[in-house]
Amino acid sequence: MKLEPADVKELCTGLAANKTIKELTISAAGLDGAASGRIAGALWESNSLERLLLPANSLGSAGCGMVFDAICNVMGLREIDLSKNVIGGDGRRSMFTSLASCKALEVLALDNNNLSCKDVVQLAEAISTVDSKLARLSVANNKIGDVGAAAIAR
């Protein structure tokens, strides 16, 4: 089911106002860059979120970038799933930078995002610089190659 802009606006207003919500899951709802901008704005207001699951949307590079920029504010975030969202250059750069702030992060799922070997090496470097609790990283169905796999294994 595709969420219309008015639905996203209402959802984000509620998310920003609710200081106790622990999980936000919006899967295959056709969220685009504009919708992710609204979600990112709500994330700046909601620091109680522990699980952010937005798989199989159309967030794209800019949308994922806005979401990752906003998650720096969510200190208790334990799980992020942005699988199947076509994370491009700017979104990837924001992701690498923002992960340094995600000290509570235990699960990161980035399956089916067309990540390259170089992207995964940078991801592994970003994760290794953080005193993180990351226990599960999923990058299935990306083009990571042997070098990317080795970087993750370190």
Side-chain angles (χ1 to χ4, degrees), residues 52-53 68 71 77-82 102 105 107-109:
L52 177 63
L53 312 173
F68 271 108
I71 64 170
L77 194 59
R78 296 182 305 116
E79 181 175 356
I80 302 169
D81 185 350
L82 290 175
C102 298
L105 192 62
V107 178
L108 177 60

Side-chain angles (χ1 to χ4, degrees), residues 26 35 77 105-106 109 123 136 142 152:
I26 306 173
L77 194 59
L105 192 62
E106 297 171 4
L123 175 64
R136 185 172 149 247
N142 286 293
I152 291 170

Side-chain angles (χ1 to χ4, degrees), residues 40-124:
L43 289 174
W44 281 103
E45 301 295 323
S46 172
N47 58 9
S48 64
L49 206 60
E50 294 178 2
R51 299 180 75 212
L52 177 63
L53 312 173
L54 303 173
N57 284 290
S58 302
L59 301 182
S61 176
C64 286
M66 286 185 275
V67 169
F68 271 108
D69 287 345
I71 64 170
C72 298
N73 186 55
V74 186
M75 295 303 173
L77 194 59
R78 296 182 305 116
E79 181 175 356
I80 302 169
D81 185 350
L82 290 175
S83 298
K84 297 183 183 178
N85 271 297
V86 193
I87 303 173
D90 289 340
R92 292 175 187 156
R93 280 186 286 282
S94 290
M95 173 177 59
F96 302 144
T97 302
S98 298
L99 284 174
S101 302
C102 298
K103 297 187 186 322
L105 192 62
E106 297 171 4
V107 178
L108 177 60
L110 300 168
D111 304 329
N112 297 295
N113 271 305
N114 207 23
L115 298 177
S116 68
C117 174
K118 180 181 174 184
D119 296 326
V120 173
V121 168
Q122 288 178 313
L123 175 64

